[in-house]
Amino acid sequence: MAKPSVKESASPVDEKLQKVLARAGIGSRREMERAIEEGRVKVNDRIATLGDRVTLTDKIFVGGQRVVLRTEAARRRVILYNKPEGEICSRHDPEGRPTVYDSLPSLKGERWISVGRLDFNTSGLLLFTNDGELANKLMHPSSVIDREYLVRIQGDVDDDMKERLLEGVLLDDGVARFTDIVDGAGEGKNRWFYCVVMEGRNREVRRLWESQGVKVSRLKRVRYANIFIPSHVRVGQWTELTEQEIRDLCMTAGFDSNNYTRIMRPSREEVAQIERHEKKLRSASSAPKRVKVDLRKRSPRK
C-alpha cells in the first residue's frame, strides 16, 4: 500500500503547516507560507506544499533544521525594545552593521519575531514575540492598530499642510494619511509633532511629510497599540511585557488568545530573571542624566 501523503494523513487534531510553524516561533505566518512556496520546508522527509496539514507526531524541517513543535501550553512572550538609530531590523547584515537582534535575550528552541520594522535611521519602540500567530495579527492591516511617532520637521508647517496630511496624500503605493497630528515643541522651521498612522508601510511617516516639501530630521516611534516606552527603558535596552499587558495587547489587536498558544505564568526561575533585569534597568535609569528639554504636553486633537 502506498504511503499516504501529508494531506491524506490528516487527523482531528491536525493544523495547517504554516500555522504550526508560526506558533513555534520560526516566523510569521506569511513568512512561513513564503518558505513553503520556496521549497525550504520538509515534512517527514518530503518537500512540503502550501495547504499541507500536520500533527505533533510529524517531523518538520525548515532550511534543514528540525523544528521543535510547540504545544498549546507553551508560554507566550512579548518584549519591548527601545531601538537606537544605526541598527537594522534584519537578523544578518552583509555590511556587518549592528542589528536589533544583537541586543535581545536568547531563546531556547524558539526565536524572536519582530512586529513590524523601523528604518535604519529611525529609533524607538519595537515589539518582539515568540508567537508567530500574534505577530501576524499585530501586523495585519485588518487589525487597524495605532502607531504613534514623534517627528522633528525642518521646514514650514501650517494648518493647511496638516489638513492635507489628515485627509490623505497619494504616494507611490497608494493613498496614505495620518489619523492624528499634534504639535510638540519648537518654533520656526524646526518643530516637533506627534503623528499617528494605522498601517505599517515602508517609510510611510517620512514619505508623508516629504510629500509636502519638508524634511524629517528625527523620527522616533513612541507607541504601538496600547504599549508605550517605559521611562526606565533607555535606548538600546529591552523589557518584558507583563501578562496583563500581553492580554491587553491581544484584545487591542482583536486576537483571540484562547484559540492559540495560551498565556501561561512564567516559572519561578523566569520570574526571578525578569525581576533581576527590571531591577537593573531601573537602577541604571536612576543615575544622573543630562538635562533635556521636555516636549510640551500633548492635548487630543479636536
Side-chain angles (χ1 to χ4, degrees), residues 140-158:
H140 200 279
S142 64
S143 297
V144 194
I145 291 178
D146 286 354
R147 297 145 167 96
E148 184 173 3
Y149 293 81
L150 176 61
V151 56
R152 186 172 70 187
I153 299 298
Q154 290 182 347
D156 294 321
V157 178
D158 55 26

Side-chain angles (χ1 to χ4, degrees), residues 50-74:
L50 206 56
D52 283 350
R53 302 180 72 88
V54 296
T55 69
L56 292 177
T57 61
D58 289 308
K59 296 179 181 179
I60 304 176
F61 301 83
V62 177
Q65 298 295 317
R66 177 78 180 270
V67 176
V68 179
L69 297 183
R70 176 195 286 176
T71 67
E72 291 296 320

Side-chain angles (χ1 to χ4, degrees), residues 175-191:
V175 176
R177 70 186 186 94
F178 292 125
T179 58
D180 197 14
I181 302 174
V182 177
D183 289 11
E187 297 179 351
K189 296 187 176 183
N190 283 281
R191 297 172 58 189

